[in-house]
Amino acid sequence: MGRTLRNGRMKNSRLVYSAVALIVGVLAPASAFTQSDSSDQKVQELRKQLDQLRDQMSKLQARLGELENNKSAEAGSSPAAPSAKPEGTIESTNPPGQAVPSKQVGEATATYRTFSEDSVAAARFDNVSLDPKYKGFFRLPGTQTILKIGGYFKTDFIYDFKPAGSAESFIPSSIPIPTVVGVNNATVSIRPTRLSLDFRIPSTQLGDVRFYVEGDLFGTNATTPRLRHAYAQVRNVLIGQTFSNFMDPDGFPDTLDFQGPNGMVNLRNPQLRYGFALSPSTTFYVSVEKPSSDVIFKTPQFTDQPNSPSPDGAIRLRQEFERGHFQVAAIFRSIAAFLPTTPTPKTASVFGWGVNVSTAVKTFGRDNAIFAVASGHGISRYLQDTSGLGIDAEPKSSTSLAATPAVGVEAAYQHYWLRNLRSSAVYSYAAVNNTALFASAAPATYNHATYTGSNLIWNPFGSLNVGAEFLYGWAMEQNGLKANAPRIQFSAKYSFVKVDADR
């Protein structure tokens, strides 16, 4: 097709040149015959006419080129055509179907910024993006799939004035009790560094499909990769590992600390989830999630062996509005342990339940306030500070269990001093009333702890953020022993995707 168009263009050009030559050939001899002594004025007039004809010829050629290009675009460009892009070229993309912001993601939710960027990984109703312009996405060559390679490189410089237990995350429950006097600790860590792949596939039959994968370096060893998220969502059916349906993915305070508030509900769990809209801005979700009975105790009669007879179930109601959101979630669990009692071993189980109420609101200017409270029996696994301590339940007798009552509170305020300078103040509290109903249970177990902190975060240009933070933790065991630990942390983070120009 391209060769045909070029041949046609050459033929048209030859016709135009022939016409010009004919006109000049006719006019020039005629003028010489009638006026052999023609003046310079006549010559100038002829040259002027010739220039006009040349201009017209140039315009005709340009118009001819436009028509040929349009014809090529309509018929489909040949791989050999000059306008075709080389195979493998990465193209920028437009939104796959979302042209305007959705009411399921309010302006406050979409613009809320935290150092951890955890809200980016959260699954949204109808796979709505926080950014309706899909900045940072590009189309994979030869496909309809668009991809965003996200994540960031983060370095933490940490100094502990007292032993704080975990060196790279501030976890009050890990503070050694009693305190070891005269021991300081300094740490440099890159383990919060993370990488994510966000695939979006438009489908007329299934709706937009999202595949999201994310990992960091908080594995079992010093810098071992660890999978954080790996899930697929088609319409509003989700399967895979991501934030539990019991938690609020937009309720994270803006902290440099990787762990965050100790009383916050925070767990990434394999699950099957379904959501549906009750109104344009209200959604309801129900999920079935991987169970894990976080029960560890030992008595003279037996050593427990936890088991999970049924999956955890969670429901969540979320109301989104322009200046923030409100949500309430509930969890239902079966906590069990195999008890090697005599003469007949048996499995003891107990019902666990919890409620988590949370909200985030934009207050004045760009400032944000967050508040959340979680309470229930047997929910220690879902609280940030107590997950993994084995206190979901305690022995009620040698043959039965009791779910331990637990509560978690979180409050934070984010203030912008300047457009690129902000601070947050955070307070959190977590408690588990492990009453040791069975006299033989060890009393030296977690009872309650607090987490407080304040920071200053500066975004000097682009996607670079640096900050300083002071943290203070205090913990007490069931037997009354307690300890505290202050920490100073400096962090620098550079996000891989830069969407805004340097200021």
Side-chain angles (χ1 to χ4, degrees):
M1 181 180 292
R3 182 178 298 176
T4 303
L5 293 174
R6 286 194 295 271
N7 292 339
R9 183 184 296 178
M10 294 175 62
K11 290 180 181 180
N12 290 330
S13 299
R14 286 197 294 267
L15 289 174
V16 174
Y17 280 118
S18 299
V20 173
L22 179 62
I23 294 172
V24 174
V26 172
L27 293 177
S31 176
F33 180 79
T34 56
Q35 298 182 7
S36 58
D37 57 346
S38 59
S39 65
D40 292 340
Q41 183 177 0
K42 294 287 186 180
V43 174
Q44 293 297 329
E45 289 179 358
L46 290 174
R47 288 178 177 175
K48 184 177 180 180
Q49 293 176 6
L50 181 61
D51 291 338
Q52 291 176 350
L53 289 172
R54 287 173 176 170
D55 291 340
Q56 293 179 4
M57 181 183 66
S58 298
K59 292 178 181 180
L60 288 172
Q61 286 181 318
R63 178 58 180 164
L64 180 62
E66 291 178 2
L67 293 174
E68 290 176 348
N69 289 335
N70 293 337
K71 186 176 181 180
S72 298
E74 292 176 359
S77 299
S78 169
S83 60
K85 293 186 178 182
E87 184 68 25
T89 299
I90 295 177
E91 304 178 20
S92 61
T93 185
N94 293 321
Q98 180 188 357
V100 296
S102 168
K103 290 185 178 180
Q104 299 294 346
V105 177
E107 191 270 339
T109 300
T111 58
Y112 178 55
R113 297 290 178 264
T114 63
F115 211 83
S116 65
E117 300 182 10
D118 280 323
S119 60
V120 175
R124 305 288 173 180
F125 187 79
D126 279 342
N127 280 323
V128 170
S129 173
L130 291 176
D131 177 15
K133 296 182 179 179
Y134 285 71
K135 294 178 181 177
F137 282 87
F138 62 89
R139 191 175 304 281
L140 297 180
T143 73
Q144 294 298 310
T145 302
I146 63 174
L147 169 64
K148 180 178 180 180
I149 303 175
Y152 52 75
F153 176 82
K154 182 172 183 274
T155 302
D156 294 332
F157 302 87
I158 299 170
Y159 184 79
D160 293 324
F161 296 93
K162 293 182 179 180
S166 176
E168 295 164 304
S169 299
F170 197 61
I171 307 173
S173 64
S174 70
I175 297 174
I177 300 176
T179 301
V180 181
V181 180
V183 177
N184 301 332
N185 186 63
T187 302
V188 179
S189 175
I190 63 166
R191 297 181 77 184
T193 296
R194 67 179 61 166
L195 177 68
S196 65
L197 301 174
D198 192 352
F199 295 87
R200 307 273 181 149
I201 307 171
S203 172
T204 56
Q205 297 178 341
L206 300 176
D208 291 342
V209 180
R210 184 189 191 191
F211 293 93
Y212 186 84
V213 181
E214 180 183 283
D216 61 18
L217 301 178
F218 266 93
T220 54
N221 297 323
T223 53
T224 304
R226 178 187 66 167
L227 182 67
R228 290 173 56 84
H229 299 269
Y231 70 85
Q233 181 171 319
V234 182
R235 291 185 182 267
N236 291 296
V237 177
L238 180 148
I239 185 169
Q241 176 174 302
T242 188
F243 297 126
S244 169
N245 194 38
F246 183 51
M247 66 179 289
D248 184 356
D250 299 307
F252 291 83
D254 188 15
T255 64
L256 304 183
D257 172 41
F258 177 83
Q259 186 76 1
N262 67 330
M264 178 174 65
V265 175
N266 186 13
L267 183 69
R268 295 179 298 275
N269 213 16
Q271 60 192 276
L272 173 62
R273 183 195 304 177
Y274 175 70
F276 56 92
L278 300 178
S279 74
S281 59
T282 306
T283 47
F284 183 81
Y285 301 88
V286 57
S287 68
V288 176
E289 306 190 10
K290 178 183 177 181
S292 179
S293 296
D294 194 7
V295 180
I296 304 173
F297 55 82
K298 183 177 181 179
T299 73
Q301 287 76 22
F302 54 79
T303 299
D304 79 297
Q305 298 177 23
N307 65 311
S308 303
S310 61
D312 293 355
I315 57 175
R316 175 164 58 103
L317 178 68
R318 181 181 176 99
Q319 173 68 50
E320 191 79 23
F321 47 92
E322 195 65 21
R323 298 191 65 84
H325 74 276
F326 170 83
Q327 77 169 43
V328 57
I331 190 80
F332 308 99
R333 317 180 58 204
S334 178
I335 306 165
F338 177 75
L339 308 178
T341 57
T342 56
T344 305
K346 64 169 293 185
T347 296
S349 63
V350 63
F351 177 72
W353 61 272
V355 177
N356 182 26
V357 180
S358 60
T359 186
V361 180
K362 180 172 285 189
T363 57
F364 308 100
R366 301 182 67 191
D367 292 6
N368 294 277
I370 290 174
F371 179 77
V373 58
S375 180
H377 289 250
I379 63 169
S380 298
R381 176 176 179 253
Y382 286 85
L383 294 180
Q384 186 89 292
D385 206 21
T386 57
S387 183
L389 296 184
I391 52 178
D392 271 343
E394 60 182 342
K396 185 177 181 180
S397 69
S398 61
T399 58
S400 63
L401 298 175
T404 53
V407 63
V409 177
E410 165 204 359
Y413 191 86
Q414 181 189 62
H415 173 67
Y416 278 81
W417 304 100
L418 301 170
R419 183 175 181 83
N420 61 344
L421 186 67
R422 65 185 191 267
S423 292
S424 286
V426 183
Y427 172 82
S428 188
Y429 171 85
V432 177
N433 188 19
N434 192 332
T435 57
L437 296 175
F438 191 47
S440 300
T445 54
Y446 179 96
N447 181 259
H448 68 275
T450 59
Y451 175 111
T452 58
S454 61
N455 57 45
L456 182 66
I457 300 173
W458 179 39
N459 173 215
F461 61 86
S463 57
L464 174 66
N465 284 268
V466 295
E469 185 169 77
F470 175 76
L471 297 165
Y472 181 82
W474 183 85
M476 189 175 80
E477 292 181 341
Q478 192 70 35
N479 56 16
L481 295 179
K482 56 188 177 182
N484 62 74
R487 168 178 288 185
I488 293 179
Q489 177 171 330
F490 300 93
S491 298
K493 182 196 74 171
Y494 194 90
S495 299
F496 300 144
V497 177
K498 177 181 175 183
V499 295
D500 298 321
D502 295 347
R503 291 188 293 271

